[in-house]
Amino acid sequence: MKSRIIICIAITLFFLSIPFGSVFFRGNTEPPEIKQYIPTNEYSYDEEANFKIKVYDWTEDKTFETDIFSCIINQIIRDGAENYEDESIKAIALVIYNDMLYDNEITKKEEIHPDAFICLGCSYCNDISAPEKEINEKNRNRIYSLIEEILTKKITYENKIIQGVKIPFSSGKTESAYDVWGTEIGYLQSKESVWDIQYPNFSNKYVFSISDFYDKCLKIWGVDGEKTKPDIQITDKTENGTVKKVKVFGKEISSNSFCLEFGINSANFSVEVTDSEIIFLTKGSGMSIGLSEYGAECLAEQGYSYEEIIKYYYTDVLIENFSFSEYFLN
């Protein structure tokens, strides 16, 4: 009997030792170091081109050359998404990339800066200028390798490249294009994005003296009314709370213009007026349309792929392969 017990104990100890033994015999368990980014020949592109594009600068009236990687990564860094999960970065990068392709098609059709792929300072094009902050080389190379994975992908709706509308984070629910812009765009529908309320700067407060507020409104919009009597009303907003129009001292203006001039980061705001101040309390960022970058990150953490993330935020879209040379080798 005793010998049987000893044998059972020995067998048990043997099997328990297997996982521990595997740790010691596995060798180096450190993750492989991310290699310096080197473009592959997978896409059969001209090596001299190296993803280069021409950019026109309206302010300087000159054209310069840059690369598509820099244009995409600049926007990722500027939105504070450089440390996000791989799948969320690929989703964000593909949206930025598609928006550039969309902008390029519009500007070519309208013959706006026809000699440049995209431009700085143009209302048709997204901002590709360099961000104020930098990231370490290892993380930059990681993002470059992720961007490379999506360079032959396009997001389409009814056989056309979509406008890559995005925001750093929403007010808890994204808006439809129709509710905000008054234009029905099939793929830009309202989506729940409840994760966004966890964003560190989800709510913000902006305070202006009544005197300064009036002076600025007078200078920009030529408003009426009395300086000592604060007059501001929200005249139109969506069910989600995104303001579409606001009336200041008798002058009705778009919330987009208003927020831009006063440096308010979200059109989802409420107003409080005291004897001496006007206070704006915001939720979310921008106009809350399109892909929420923070929402994409939360979905990636739950195991969603970049394709699933994109198809969640954009209704009825397809992610298709296309020839890189259609845009960059001509």
Side-chain angles (χ1 to χ4, degrees), residues 50-197:
N50 196 20
F51 304 105
K52 296 294 185 182
I53 59 172
K54 290 182 178 179
V55 178
Y56 175 65
D57 187 343
W58 281 98
T59 58
E60 299 290 333
D61 190 23
K62 67 178 182 180
T63 300
F64 63 93
E65 196 175 67
T66 186
D67 65 276
I68 200 73
F69 287 90
S70 297
C71 295
I72 296 173
I73 199 171
N74 283 352
Q75 294 177 71
I76 291 172
I77 296 171
R78 194 162 44 245
D79 289 346
E82 66 273 13
N83 293 314
Y84 281 4
E85 297 282 335
D86 287 1
E87 293 302 304
S88 55
I89 284 182
K90 282 192 281 187
I92 295 166
L94 185 53
V95 168
I96 294 170
Y97 183 49
N98 270 246
D99 198 47
M100 294 175 70
L101 300 180
Y102 175 88
D103 292 344
N104 180 256
E105 288 188 354
I106 295 297
T107 55
K108 287 293 183 290
K109 184 178 179 181
E110 300 291 332
E111 296 187 350
I112 301 165
H113 55 79
D115 296 329
F117 181 82
I118 202 168
C119 70
L120 296 175
C122 169
S123 60
Y124 288 89
C125 297
N126 50 352
D127 183 11
I128 63 168
S129 57
E132 293 180 359
K133 61 180 178 179
E134 265 293 340
I135 61 173
N136 64 59
E137 185 179 359
K138 184 175 181 179
N139 202 21
R140 179 177 290 274
N141 289 335
R142 175 181 76 98
I143 298 173
Y144 272 24
S145 68
L146 296 173
I147 294 171
E148 186 178 25
E149 290 185 40
I150 56 90
L151 281 180
T152 54
K153 304 287 184 182
K154 62 180 178 180
I155 312 169
T156 63
Y157 177 80
E158 296 183 347
N159 298 317
K160 295 180 180 179
I161 286 181
I162 71 164
Q163 182 179 4
V165 185
K166 65 179 181 61
I167 43 172
F169 57 100
S170 76
S171 58
K173 189 175 184 179
T174 67
E175 298 280 8
S176 72
Y178 181 79
D179 285 342
V180 175
W181 296 335
T183 302
E184 182 63 45
I185 300 177
Y187 54 87
L188 291 177
Q189 302 298 323
S190 179
K191 301 287 182 178
E192 294 288 345
S193 195
V194 294
W195 317 277
D196 293 344
I197 64 175

Side-chain angles (χ1 to χ4, degrees), residues 308-322:
E308 292 172 321
I309 293 169
I310 286 171
K311 289 180 179 179
Y312 174 75
Y313 280 105
Y314 300 107
T315 302
D316 295 333
V317 297
L318 297 175
I319 299 175
E320 304 179 72
N321 293 318
F322 78 106

Side-chain angles (χ1 to χ4, degrees), residues 46 50 91-92 107 120 172 220 244 252 268 273 282 285 299 326-327:
D46 180 356
N50 196 20
I92 295 166
T107 55
L120 296 175
I220 299 169
K244 297 165 70 175
E252 190 171 62
N268 191 313
V273 180
T282 68
S285 62
L299 288 174
E326 287 181 32
Y327 287 89

